[in-house]
Amino acid sequence: MEECGTIFIKKQGARQVKYVIIGSGSIGMLLSSYLAQQTNSLLLATHRNIQANQIEQKGLHLVHTDKITKVQHVRTSSCSALLKNNLTDIETIDVMIIAVKSHQVKQVLEDLKGIEHKVASILFLQNGMGHTEMFHDISIPEVAVGVVEHGAMRTNDWTVYHTGVGRLRWSYVQAGKKVIETAFSPLRLNEFPILQEKNWIPLLHSKLIVNACVNPLTALLMVKNGQLLENKYYLNMMSQVFDEACTVLETSEKDQMWEYVRDVCQKTSSNSSSMLLDFEKKRKTEIDSILGYLLRQAANKKIHAPIIAYLHDAIKGKEVEFREGEVES
Ligand SMILES: NC(=O)C1=CN([C@@H]2O[C@H](COP(=O)(O)OP(=O)(O)OC[C@H]3O[C@@H](n4cnc5c(N)ncnc54)[C@H](OP(=O)(O)O)[C@@H]3O)[C@@H](O)[C@H]2O)C=CC1
Ligand SMILES: CC(C)(CO)C(=O)C(=O)O
C-alpha cells in the first residue's frame, strides 16, 4: 500500500469552526479524517483513554483505494476528560457530532449535561430513529440529524478503512442560529460530499425503511444484502416487512420507496449488513432503534404489525443468547 503523506488544511478565514466528534469508531474516525482537511480545530473524543493515546502517538490513519493517509490536525481526548471540562482551551464548541451506536446515545446525552451550555449545535448520525425519541430532553439550541451513506470500518484504534464512498445527508430538527449550515456550506470534500436536506423526517424514514427491510433478515438468514434480491423467497419476505413499515410510517410514495430499497440492496449487494456483522461478533444490535422504534410508533397509532414484531423478537432473542454466552465464558 502506498503511503501518500499528510492531508493539507485549507484555511477558511480567520476563525476556524470548532468541531467535537463524540465516538471514535468507524464513522467518527472516517468523518474526522475528512473534516480535518478543512479545519485545524477538530477534537475526536474517544470512549477509552488508550485509544486517545494511540491516535496521539501514531496519528489517525485513513485507508482509501489502497492508499494510507496519515491525517494531520486531529486532536484527541477521552470523553471523560472532555466532559469533566479538563480541556481549558475549548470554551465553546460550534458543532458537536454524535457518532456512537444508537443504543449508546442515551449515555452520551446524560454525560453531556455538564457541558451542554458550551455547545452551540449538535448533529446525530445514528441508524434507526430511537435517538429522536430523546430530543425533548436536549437543551442545545440547534439540533440536526444525518444519514451516512458511506461504508467505514475501523480495523484498529488508529486506522479506518473507507470501504464505500457515498454521501452524508443531513437536515435540521431545530435550526437555531444555523451554525451547522454555516460550518458545512463552504466545505468541498470530493470523497466525502455533505448535502443538506429540507425535511428531517422523510430523510430518516427512508433510511429507517431500508434498515428495517435489510438488516434483520440478513442477520437472521446469514446472507449478504444482495441475496435478498436474488432469492425469490427472501425477496418476498423483505417485501412483507416493507409493506408493514410503510403502513406504520404512513409512507405516501411506496413505489418510489420500494425502488430505493432495491437500489440500496443492489449497490451494497456484496456487503454484510451492520446487523449481520453484530451477530457475527455477538454484539448488541441497533434493533431497538429500527424495528423497536417502528413497534412503538405502531402501538401509538394502534396499527397491527405482526411481521415486524416477529422479526424484532427473533433478533432480541439472539441478543439474549449472546449475553448468556458472555456470562458463561
Ligand atoms: N460503519 C458504517 O459503515 C456505518 C455506520 N452507520 C451508523 O453510524 C453509527 C456509528 O456506527 P459505527 O461508527 O460503525 O460504530 P462503532 O461501534 O464503530 O463506533 C462507536 C464508537 O462509539 C464509542 N462509544 C461507545 N459508548 C460511548 C460513550 N458512552 N461515549 C463516547 N463514545 C462511546 C465506541 O467506543 P469503543 O471504541 O470503546 O468501542 C466506538 O468507538 C451507527 O448508528 C451506525 O449504524 C451508518 C452508516 C454506515
Ligand atoms: C444500508 C445498509 C443496509 C448497508 O449494509 C446499512 O445501513 C447497514 O448495514 O446498517
Side-chain angles (χ1 to χ4, degrees):
M1 243 179 271
E2 187 188 336
E3 169 97 37
C4 83
T6 55
I7 292 173
F8 293 101
I9 301 170
K10 289 185 191 144
K11 299 271 181 225
Q12 290 177 31
R15 193 180 173 281
Q16 295 269 313
V17 175
K18 288 183 188 165
Y19 291 96
V20 169
I21 297 179
I22 303 277
S24 185
S26 306
I27 293 300
M29 288 164 81
L30 182 75
L31 185 58
S32 301
S33 304
Y34 284 101
L35 278 183
Q37 296 178 33
Q38 306 264 322
T39 179
N40 57 11
S41 188
L42 185 144
L43 187 126
L44 177 58
T46 65
H47 194 211
R48 291 164 291 114
N49 288 330
I50 190 165
Q51 190 187 13
N53 296 338
Q54 296 271 33
I55 297 176
E56 288 289 334
Q57 280 166 23
K58 299 179 199 286
L60 178 60
H61 288 64
L62 168 69
V63 185
H64 179 46
T65 56
D66 279 351
K67 286 186 180 141
I68 307 176
T69 304
K70 191 170 169 188
V71 183
Q72 297 278 291
H73 306 286
V74 174
R75 289 176 54 214
T76 56
S77 156
S78 67
C79 274
S80 51
L82 175 74
L83 298 168
K84 274 186 208 140
N85 215 355
N86 286 347
L87 296 165
T88 47
D89 56 336
I90 295 216
E91 281 154 10
T92 53
I93 296 164
D94 296 314
V95 181
M96 176 172 272
I97 302 177
I98 308 300
V100 300
K101 294 267 195 174
S102 56
H103 48 267
Q104 295 157 343
V105 171
K106 188 167 183 273
Q107 183 63 54
V108 168
L109 289 179
E110 275 167 23
D111 294 345
L112 270 181
K113 287 286 171 216
I115 62 159
E116 261 187 345
H117 60 286
K118 292 190 165 209
V119 183
S121 70
I122 187 162
L123 167 64
F124 292 85
L125 295 181
Q126 286 61 46
N127 266 353
M129 285 185 70
H131 54 295
T132 66
E133 296 169 311
M134 297 171 217
F135 286 172
H136 58 87
D137 202 28
I138 297 177
S139 62
I140 296 167
E142 191 171 315
V143 180
V145 288
V147 161
V148 180
E149 296 173 348
H150 293 267
M153 197 167 58
R154 170 175 73 178
T155 53
N156 60 36
D157 271 349
W158 60 93
T159 309
V160 63
Y161 277 65
H162 194 176
T163 52
V165 175
R167 300 170 300 178
L168 165 57
R169 293 191 291 143
W170 72 278
S171 183
Y172 276 122
V173 175
Q174 188 174 297
K177 291 186 178 165
K178 303 213 167 173
V179 180
I180 303 175
E181 191 176 303
T182 310
F184 282 173
S185 21
L187 300 182
R188 296 288 171 267
L189 298 164
N190 290 339
E191 306 290 326
F192 201 91
I194 300 179
L195 270 90
Q196 185 175 0
E197 301 277 348
K198 270 207 182 104
N199 299 314
W200 69 275
I201 292 181
L203 174 70
L204 292 195
H205 275 188
S206 55
K207 185 74 195 299
L208 176 63
I209 289 176
V210 168
N211 289 128
C213 287
V214 177
N215 295 25
L217 283 177
T218 49
L220 291 166
L221 300 167
M222 293 189 288
V223 296
K224 303 232 181 218
N225 297 355
Q227 285 174 263
L228 295 181
L229 295 179
E230 286 156 20
N231 183 316
K232 69 174 181 180
Y233 298 100
Y234 297 163
L235 183 62
N236 184 31
M237 290 169 88
M238 182 162 77
S239 82
Q240 292 180 55
V241 182
F242 173 80
D243 281 340
E244 255 187 37
C246 288
T247 305
V248 173
L249 296 178
E250 298 166 76
T251 307
S252 51
E253 287 164 350
K254 262 183 84 177
D255 290 348
Q256 215 176 309
M257 189 64 82
W258 180 237
E259 269 319 297
Y260 178 61
V261 172
R262 291 181 60 106
D263 190 52
V264 174
C265 268
Q266 191 60 53
K267 287 194 173 125
T268 62
S269 57
S270 54
N271 284 20
S272 295
S273 76
S274 56
M275 205 168 276
L276 175 56
L277 293 175
D278 287 338
F279 262 37
E280 284 170 0
K281 300 211 162 125
K282 300 198 186 315
R283 287 187 302 229
K284 186 169 167 56
T285 71
E286 296 191 293
I287 196 70
D288 291 334
S289 193
I290 301 172
L291 297 188
Y293 175 83
L294 286 172
L295 287 178
R296 292 189 290 280
Q297 290 290 309
N300 285 343
K301 297 176 184 176
K302 303 202 181 337
I303 293 173
H304 189 47
I307 293 169
I308 291 176
Y310 188 87
L311 276 182
H312 169 268
D313 286 0
I315 303 282
K316 293 297 283 183
K318 279 284 170 196
E319 287 187 350
V320 170
E321 258 184 52
F322 302 154
R323 280 203 302 276
E324 283 168 354
E326 259 172 39
V327 174
E328 279 162 19
S329 61

